[in-house]
Amino acid sequence: MKTVLITGATSGIGLGCARKFAKNGDRVIITGRNTDKLSAISSDLQAQGTEVLTLCFDVRDRQAAQQAIESLPAAWQQIDVLVNNAGLALGLEPEFEGDIDDWETMIDTNIKGLLTMTRLVVPQMISRNSGHIINIGSVAGDAAYAGGNVYCATKAAVKALSDGLRIDVAGTAVRVTNLKPGLVETNFSNIRFHGDTERAAKVYQGIKPLTGDDIADVAVYAANAPAHVQIAEVLILATHQASGSVIQRK
């Protein structure tokens, strides 16, 4: 049984990871910004026999993140798997018309939040020579698409940070995985379009997109590969999606 910490666990891929790791027999630490959602998810998982701990904080708040990790009871302090999932996209405007507040939110969450959690959790993995970091990147990190500019840049940063960390820990038994999903039907697009549900729904029209559970399946597989196997990077696309910008719709 592993102890798995998942950021952004109240919806989408993060929620899928919480459920799938729980089904795998692991215990989970779920984090997010919404206390009510965390409580509801915790109750559901506990009813299925899973040990669950909740931490409510925003990964953009470095002090709050540090306090949350330091508050872990002794029995939960050995984190075996860190899933850096918290992330978002905001806006789809040309770069020269972008909203600077949106940019800062994406950079602070997708890059700095990931770095904060890595810095807080990975040292104890190094000290015991065991652990796994799973970063949720994106196909958007491979090549920019129209309107993606800053979001694509943040996911390119996730790839570079994953690769860099993998180099840094190569002398240890700690493993690093970068998962790169394509179209996943979650509240991702609704957030990107600031609550415009109709516009968000059009993103998934004409194609059967991935689900959060699909990505979680890959995360669980990577975490349970033999100790000598490191699933370094996986690109996961819907069948009719060829890249970040090529989608065949019916």
Side-chain angles (χ1 to χ4, degrees):
M1 180 178 67
K2 298 182 177 70
T3 299
V4 183
L5 190 155
I6 305 158
T7 65
T10 57
S11 65
I13 294 172
L15 178 56
C17 284
R19 290 172 172 166
K20 291 289 185 174
F21 276 105
K23 187 176 180 180
N24 189 60
D26 299 313
R27 60 182 191 166
V28 295
I29 303 170
I30 54 174
T31 86
R33 296 176 296 168
N34 188 309
T35 302
D36 291 339
K37 287 184 178 180
L38 287 171
S39 179
I41 295 165
S42 176
S43 295
D44 288 344
L45 293 177
Q46 286 177 340
Q48 299 169 30
T50 302
E51 291 184 68
V52 185
L53 190 70
T54 64
L55 296 175
C56 188
F57 66 93
D58 189 330
V59 295
R60 294 178 296 171
D61 186 334
R62 186 171 61 186
Q63 184 176 3
Q66 182 173 350
Q67 289 174 346
I69 296 302
E70 291 177 348
S71 75
L72 288 171
W76 288 81
Q77 289 177 3
Q78 180 175 307
I79 296 166
D80 300 297
V81 181
L82 167 64
V83 182
N84 276 318
N85 166 73
L88 75 168
L90 290 170
L92 203 61
E93 297 81 17
E95 192 169 323
F96 56 86
E97 295 178 349
D99 186 311
I100 294 177
D101 289 335
D102 283 352
W103 294 353
E104 289 187 346
T105 298
M106 286 186 283
I107 291 168
D108 288 348
T109 305
N110 301 359
I111 302 176
K112 293 167 69 177
L114 179 146
L115 278 170
T116 293
M117 295 306 298
T118 300
R119 183 63 181 85
L120 290 172
V121 173
V122 174
Q124 51 100 349
M125 294 181 175
I126 301 297
S127 66
R128 69 173 194 274
N129 197 34
S130 175
H132 197 153
I133 303 94
I134 300 176
N135 292 330
I136 305 300
S138 172
V139 62
D142 288 345
Y145 55 76
N149 44 75
V150 175
Y151 173 70
C152 293
T154 66
K155 290 304 183 176
V158 172
K159 172 176 170 53
L161 292 170
S162 300
D163 292 346
L165 180 60
R166 196 177 302 111
I167 293 168
D168 292 337
V169 304
T172 76
V174 175
R175 302 183 293 186
V176 181
T177 298
N178 179 25
L179 300 185
K180 304 186 301 182
L183 277 179
V184 183
E185 189 169 11
T186 64
N187 62 352
F188 175 89
S189 292
N190 195 38
I191 292 172
R192 162 168 260 171
F193 299 131
H194 298 280
D196 188 336
T197 303
E198 183 177 349
R199 187 180 179 191
K202 292 178 180 178
V203 173
Y204 310 107
Q205 286 182 352
I207 186 173
K208 185 174 182 178
L210 302 168
T211 68
D213 284 350
D214 294 328
I215 310 308
D217 281 336
V218 183
V220 172
Y221 174 82
N224 288 278
H228 71 288
V229 177
Q230 179 170 215
I231 309 298
E233 186 172 285
V234 184
L235 175 64
I236 311 129
L237 302 175
T239 299
H240 297 292
Q241 178 177 17
S243 69
S245 57
V246 179
I247 301 169
Q248 186 65 40
R249 302 179 189 272
K250 295 181 180 179

